[in-house]
Amino acid sequence: MHSGEVRILNFQTQAVEKSFKATDSPVRSAKFIPRKQWIVTASDDGKIRVYDQTTTELVKEFLAHEDFIRSLCPHPTLPVLLSAGDDKVVKMWDWERDWECTRVLEGHSHYVMQVALNPLDGQSFATASLDNSVKLWNAGSPAAVGSLDGHAKGVNCVDYLVSGDDDDKKLYILSGSDDFSVKVWDCDTKCCVQTLEGHKNNVTAVAAHPELPIFVSVSEDGTIIVWDATTFKVIETLNCGLERVWAIGCKGGSNKMVFGCDKGTLMANVN
């Protein structure tokens, strides 16, 4: 939360199960690392903090960036955490080496707002930046291996979308921008295949559901748009009634999604 508080909510009931103060600075990202039973947080003081999920005791704290940290992304199998921030860089951290920074990736010319891992290979990832671009990276390369350019304003969010069945999977990248649009990019050709319009203010987050054939975008206009992952058409538009919407959470095995807003947290069933 912007107050520096971290809350753990029950996904089914929406009840706050635990709450603790991480810092006096805004916390802009918090992630679970289930296999370690950790929660990692990133805040405007440039620090990453690691907490025991059960006790909420602080396990590790270190200065990670020279400016606000916008995004954290744990690797699903490797002992690696990616972080991105307003110092325009992405960093890789190895917790088995006592959180050693193993790589600093440079290439953006403005704040890096989000980093997302490719769910199919675990080796490549994408970053969204206010320099109007999405850059593509590979764990083995010190420089970006591609750039998706087409947004008229800064890009706030990025996610991967896997469309199709196991025999015919197609990988896309989703990006949301201050130009009010969501773009869909073909990962193979690196071309924009769709520009989706519907929001009337900055698009703050976009997320593909891990199982359902949908993805969702949210905006500072207070709306939530559910999109068909095959046709890229609008399925439904929800007005959360809680002012600006900033974050999306979802999980497999459920059509319930959670949205973080100015005035609270909303849980909704999506089709």
Side-chain angles (χ1 to χ4, degrees), residues 184-215:
V184 184
W185 307 84
D186 186 309
C187 270
D188 293 328
T189 66
K190 299 179 176 57
C191 293
C192 179
V193 296
Q194 291 280 343
T195 297
L196 309 178
E197 298 178 345
H199 290 295
K200 295 179 174 61
N201 207 325
N202 302 336
V203 180
T204 52
V206 61
H209 195 280
E211 293 177 355
L212 300 176
I214 61 170
F215 61 93

Side-chain angles (χ1 to χ4, degrees), residues 4 14 33 52-53 101 104 172 194 211 247 262:
Q14 199 175 336
I33 303 181
D52 184 289
Q53 182 179 325
C101 180
V104 178
Y172 298 97
Q194 291 280 343
E211 293 177 355
D262 274 347

Side-chain angles (χ1 to χ4, degrees), residues 13 16 45 48 105 119 125 132 192-193 240 246 264 269:
T13 67
V16 177
D45 59 10
I48 291 175
L105 302 171
F125 53 96
N132 301 9
C192 179
V193 296
C240 72
W246 297 103
N269 292 323

Side-chain angles (χ1 to χ4, degrees), residues 153-172:
K153 292 186 177 181
V155 187
N156 295 311
C157 48
V158 64
D159 198 14
Y160 285 86
L161 168 67
V162 181
S163 184
D165 54 31
D166 291 340
D167 297 327
D168 187 27
K169 285 185 178 178
K170 182 70 177 176
L171 188 64
Y172 298 97

Side-chain angles (χ1 to χ4, degrees), residues 192-244:
C192 179
V193 296
Q194 291 280 343
T195 297
L196 309 178
E197 298 178 345
H199 290 295
K200 295 179 174 61
N201 207 325
N202 302 336
V203 180
T204 52
V206 61
H209 195 280
E211 293 177 355
L212 300 176
I214 61 170
F215 61 93
V216 178
S217 60
V218 299
S219 168
E220 290 187 45
D221 65 10
T223 62
I224 299 161
I225 300 181
V226 183
W227 306 87
D228 186 296
T230 303
T231 65
F232 308 131
K233 302 297 185 182
V234 175
I235 296 175
E236 62 178 330
T237 300
L238 309 171
N239 195 316
C240 72
L242 296 172
E243 297 188 5
R244 297 173 296 181

Side-chain angles (χ1 to χ4, degrees), residues 41-265:
T41 69
S43 48
D44 283 6
D45 59 10
K47 291 183 178 180
I48 291 175
R49 294 175 173 87
V50 186
Y51 295 89
D52 184 289
Q53 182 179 325
T54 304
T55 65
T56 68
E57 291 182 2
L58 184 65
V59 175
K60 181 75 173 181
E61 174 184 342
F62 57 96
L63 185 64
H65 287 261
E66 297 176 358
D67 209 329
F68 296 178
I69 307 175
R70 298 281 179 171
S71 178
L72 295 176
C73 184
H75 194 281
T77 57
L78 299 177
V80 171
L81 178 72
L82 296 169
S83 63
D86 287 5
D87 53 6
K88 309 174 189 176
V89 300
V90 180
K91 294 187 177 184
M92 299 177 66
W93 307 91
D94 187 331
W95 64 70
E96 287 190 349
R97 298 183 184 179
D98 193 29
W99 293 96
E100 176 186 345
C101 180
T102 58
R103 185 161 295 174
V104 178
L105 302 171
E106 299 178 322
H108 282 296
S109 59
H110 209 313
Y111 303 163
V112 186
M113 303 298 285
Q114 189 175 11
V115 55
L117 271 169
N118 182 338
L120 295 185
D121 68 10
Q123 294 297 314
S124 56
F125 53 96
T127 52
S129 171
L130 294 190
D131 64 10
N132 301 9
S133 76
V134 172
K135 293 200 181 297
L136 308 178
W137 310 83
N138 189 288
S141 174
V145 297
S147 184
L148 309 179
D149 302 293
H151 280 291
K153 292 186 177 181
V155 187
N156 295 311
C157 48
V158 64
D159 198 14
Y160 285 86
L161 168 67
V162 181
S163 184
D165 54 31
D166 291 340
D167 297 327
D168 187 27
K169 285 185 178 178
K170 182 70 177 176
L171 188 64
Y172 298 97
I173 288 176
L174 308 170
S175 59
S177 168
D178 286 346
D179 64 13
F180 306 173
S181 76
V182 174
K183 288 185 180 291
V184 184
W185 307 84
D186 186 309
C187 270
D188 293 328
T189 66
K190 299 179 176 57
C191 293
C192 179
V193 296
Q194 291 280 343
T195 297
L196 309 178
E197 298 178 345
H199 290 295
K200 295 179 174 61
N201 207 325
N202 302 336
V203 180
T204 52
V206 61
H209 195 280
E211 293 177 355
L212 300 176
I214 61 170
F215 61 93
V216 178
S217 60
V218 299
S219 168
E220 290 187 45
D221 65 10
T223 62
I224 299 161
I225 300 181
V226 183
W227 306 87
D228 186 296
T230 303
T231 65
F232 308 131
K233 302 297 185 182
V234 175
I235 296 175
E236 62 178 330
T237 300
L238 309 171
N239 195 316
C240 72
L242 296 172
E243 297 188 5
R244 297 173 296 181
V245 192
W246 297 103
I248 306 167
C250 57
K251 68 173 186 174
S254 175
N255 69 335
K256 184 178 289 186
M257 301 186 75
V258 59
F259 304 95
C261 315
D262 274 347
K263 295 297 185 180
T265 304

